[in-house]
Amino acid sequence: MCGRFANARRDQEIADRFHIAELIGEEPDPSWNIAPTNDVRAVLERDEGGHTLRQLRSLHWGLVPSWAKDTKIGARMINARVETITDKPAFRKAAARRRLIVPMDGYYEWQAPQDGKGRKQPFYLTDPDGAPLAAAGLYELWRDPTKAETDPDRWLWSLTVITTNATDTLGQIHDRSPLLLPDELWDRWLDPDLTDGDQVDALIASIPEPHLTPVKVGTAVGNVRNNSPDLIEPID
C-alpha cells in the first residue's frame, strides 16, 4: 500500500521537473508526513478551451467516484490495485480518462517483525540520486449536491495512488508499493487521448521495476501530528 509520503519541494521546482504549464491553487507548506484525506499536489492534463494544459493542482487524497452519495467512500479508496484499475467500476473510467502523477520526495512503508512480535519498523524509500518520484494515480470530480451552481467549491477533486506488487528490495519491506513512472513514460501516462483500456494495460506492463534506497527511520512518522525533516533521518 501507500499510506504516507513526503513532499517538501516547492511548486516551481516541481513545475520545472514535470514541465507544468499552469499552477492552480495555493502552494502547500512542505510536508514530511502526508497522510490520507490530506490535500495532495498532483500533475495532470486537462483540455481547457481546446488546448491541453499540464497542470499542478491540489486534490483530496481518497478517491470519491462521481456516482458516490457522499465523500465517506474516499477514506477506503486511497489506493487502487494496478491489477484491477481497468476493470473495477470505481476506477475503470478514471483509468481511461483521468490519470495523474503524484510527485513524492519519498514514501514510507512499515516492515513487520520476522517473529510477528513487537512494533513494525518504518522505512523511508526514495530515489538514490535524490530525484522526485512520480507515482501513478487516478482522479475524479464529484459534484456536491448541497452546494449551489455558483459555489466555486461545488466540485471535489480527489485522487487515488496506484499500487503494485513490490519487488527487489522493496518486497522485503512490504508486499505492495506505489506504481512509479520513469521520466520517459510521463507524457504517455498523462495523455488524455489515451482512452483504450487495453492500451492502458499495455502501458502499465511496460513500466520497469524501480530501484529505490530504503532508509530505516524512527517510529515518530506513525503519528500524523509529527511533521518535520527529522522524520526522514536514518536511525541506527
Side-chain angles (χ1 to χ4, degrees):
M1 64 172 297
C2 176
R4 298 284 177 83
F5 69 92
N7 185 13
R9 298 174 197 265
R10 300 287 74 205
D11 274 1
Q12 191 56 58
E13 182 179 354
I14 297 172
D16 292 342
R17 174 70 172 168
F18 289 93
H19 313 296
I20 302 297
E22 187 176 25
L23 298 169
I24 298 178
E26 293 185 9
E27 180 176 33
D29 292 332
S31 179
W32 295 266
N33 200 358
I34 299 173
T37 73
N38 288 168
D39 284 346
V40 173
R41 270 321 215 189
V43 179
L44 54 90
E45 291 191 357
R46 298 281 293 178
D47 186 336
E48 302 289 348
H51 299 283
T52 300
L53 291 177
R54 184 168 296 182
Q55 303 174 342
L56 179 67
R57 64 188 309 151
S58 295
L59 294 87
H60 175 84
W61 185 10
L63 189 119
V64 180
S66 59
W67 43 259
K69 294 181 179 179
D70 54 45
T71 61
K72 294 178 182 178
I73 192 174
R76 305 194 304 273
M77 299 178 70
I78 65 167
N79 292 153
R81 296 177 67 89
V82 71
E83 297 87 350
T84 59
I85 60 168
T86 56
D87 298 318
K88 197 170 182 179
F91 305 122
R92 186 171 57 229
K93 289 184 178 180
R97 298 182 180 277
R98 289 178 290 278
R99 297 176 301 274
L100 53 64
I101 292 173
V102 180
M104 301 178 177
D105 293 349
Y107 68 95
Y108 301 94
E109 292 290 8
W110 278 257
Q111 184 180 51
Q114 291 186 349
D115 60 5
K117 300 177 182 178
R119 300 179 69 177
K120 293 182 178 180
Q121 173 60 53
F123 284 81
Y124 179 66
L125 297 112
T126 189
D127 183 88
D129 297 322
L133 306 180
L138 309 173
Y139 73 98
E140 279 286 8
L141 283 80
W142 179 79
R143 172 73 164 84
D144 189 339
T146 67
K147 294 182 178 178
E149 285 287 342
T150 55
D151 190 330
D153 297 323
R154 67 188 182 281
W155 290 100
L156 173 69
W157 294 65
S158 65
L159 66 80
T160 186
V161 175
I162 299 172
T163 66
T164 187
N165 283 324
T167 55
D168 194 38
T169 305
L170 313 185
Q172 300 175 25
I173 297 172
H174 196 278
D175 62 345
R176 303 291 294 182
S177 66
L179 181 66
L180 299 176
L181 298 164
D183 301 19
E184 63 270 17
L185 293 183
W186 293 351
D187 291 349
R188 187 64 172 152
W189 179 257
L190 295 175
D191 185 359
D193 291 330
L194 175 62
T195 59
D196 181 83
D198 290 340
Q199 292 183 15
V200 173
D201 284 335
L203 173 58
I204 290 169
S206 73
I207 297 173
E209 174 188 329
H211 296 280
L212 304 181
T213 299
V215 178
K216 187 177 181 180
V217 296
T219 57
V221 68
N223 187 332
V224 295
R225 291 189 294 271
N226 296 327
N227 195 347
S228 73
D230 295 342
L231 296 180
I232 64 173
E233 289 298 317
I235 62 171
D236 296 330

